[in-house]
Amino acid sequence: KQEVTQIPAALSVPEGENLVLNCSFTDSAIYNLQWFRQDPGKGLTSLLLIQSSQREQTSGRLNASLDKSSGRSTLYIAASQPGDSATYLCAVGTYNQGGKLIFGQGTELSVKP
Amino acid sequence: GAGVSQTPSNKVTEKGKYVELRCDPISGHTALYWYRQSLGQGPEFLIYFQGTGAADDSGLPNDRFFAVRPEGSVSTLKIQRTERGDSAVYLCASSADRANEQFFGPGTRLTVL
C-alpha cells in the first residue's frame, strides 16, 4: 500500500530565502507525482506534474525533482515571498492503485515579510 | 476555459439527512475523481470515474456513500443518513485521462450537526 510522507509539517522562513520541501513515498512503482498548493479554505492548485520518466520540472521560481528509486521528491522554492505562504501537498499516482492520487499530509509554509 | 466547479460551496445539514454534492469537470475530461479532506490532513480518495462508469470505488467508506456520472460529465456524490463524522471538505478533480494531471475544484464544505 502506497504511503506518502511530507517533512516538515510546518516551516516558517523570512522573505527572500530559498527553501526545500520534502516528500517521500514507499512504493516506487509510480506513474507520476504532483505538487499542489492549497490556500486556507480553498481547493488545490496544481503546481508541477512530474511523469515517472522525468527527473525534474520547473515553473518560474519552483523546481521539483523526482528520484523514483529512493522514493523521494523535493520542491525547491527560490527567493520566497509572503505570497508563497500556503500548504504544499505532494501526491503520487501508483500503477497498482488505479487512477487515484495518494496524498501526503502537507507542509504548511509561512513566509514572513 | 472554465475549471472544475462544485456546488454548493457550503452545506450544513442535520444528522440523518440526505445530501447531494455536485461536480462539473473540465469540458472533455474523461476521468473524474472524488476526494475527502479533513482538517489538517491531505485529501483521501473516494471514487474514480472513467467516462460514465465507476472504475474504482474502493475509497467509499460505507454503503451510505454513492456517486453517479450518468452522461460522463457532471457527477453527483450522494450521502444517505449523514453522520457527524461525515463533516469534511469534499473535493472533486478531473483529468484528460487516467495518469494525466488532475485539476481540482474549490470543494464543498459539509457540516453535519
Side-chain angles (χ1 to χ4, degrees):
Chain A
K1 177 186 169 187
Q2 180 72 274
E3 293 182 1
V4 181
T5 304
Q6 291 187 247
I7 295 173
L11 181 64
S12 181
V13 300
E15 181 177 5
E17 274 204 6
N18 303 324
L19 58 99
V20 174
L21 307 181
N22 296 292
C23 172
S24 62
F25 46 93
T26 55
D27 184 348
S28 62
I30 67 169
Y31 51 80
N32 65 26
L33 183 147
Q34 266 185 270
W35 281 95
F36 294 90
R37 169 187 173 134
Q38 186 171 35
D39 293 285
K42 305 292 186 183
L44 278 64
T45 300
S46 180
L47 297 174
L48 290 163
L49 169 73
I50 310 178
Q51 300 290 356
S52 61
S53 57
Q54 299 174 318
R55 296 283 299 198
E56 66 178 335
Q57 281 286 349
T58 298
S59 176
R61 294 182 293 108
L62 305 179
N63 176 277
S65 67
L66 174 64
D67 184 341
K68 265 199 334 177
S69 60
S70 68
R72 294 177 188 275
S73 176
T74 61
L75 179 67
Y76 175 83
I77 303 177
S80 58
Q81 302 171 356
D84 294 331
S85 298
T87 295
Y88 290 80
L89 291 151
C90 147
V92 298
T94 310
Y95 280 109
N96 64 1
Q97 302 226 3
K100 60 177 170 272
L101 292 176
I102 305 297
F103 283 82
Q105 292 191 318
T107 294
E108 186 177 355
L109 173 66
S110 176
V111 181
K112 306 292 187 186
Chain B
V4 178
S5 62
Q6 293 186 246
T7 55
S9 55
N10 279 285
K11 176 69 176 179
V12 180
T13 191
E14 294 180 345
K15 181 175 178 295
K17 299 290 188 183
Y18 168 82
V19 297
E20 289 190 351
L21 312 180
R22 175 188 167 109
C23 172
D24 207 333
I26 292 172
S27 178
H29 279 190
T30 61
L32 184 147
Y33 312 81
W34 284 98
Y35 295 85
R36 179 167 72 172
Q37 187 176 26
S38 300
L39 194 63
Q41 303 294 316
E44 293 182 327
F45 169 78
L46 295 175
I47 186 169
Y48 153 52
F49 287 90
Q50 185 62 45
T52 61
D56 182 356
D57 65 358
S58 62
L60 295 178
N62 51 59
D63 61 6
R64 295 186 298 106
F65 289 74
F66 188 70
V68 296
R69 195 187 185 198
E71 297 178 355
S73 178
V74 170
S75 176
T76 305
L77 178 65
K78 308 180 181 196
I79 310 174
Q80 298 177 321
R81 304 183 305 280
T82 52
E83 300 178 355
R84 292 193 181 89
D86 298 336
S87 296
V89 175
Y90 289 80
L91 295 164
C92 176
S94 71
S95 63
D97 201 349
R98 174 187 177 276
N100 287 99
E101 187 173 9
Q102 292 190 22
F103 296 91
F104 280 74
T108 294
R109 181 174 297 279
L110 175 66
T111 302
V112 182
L113 302 177

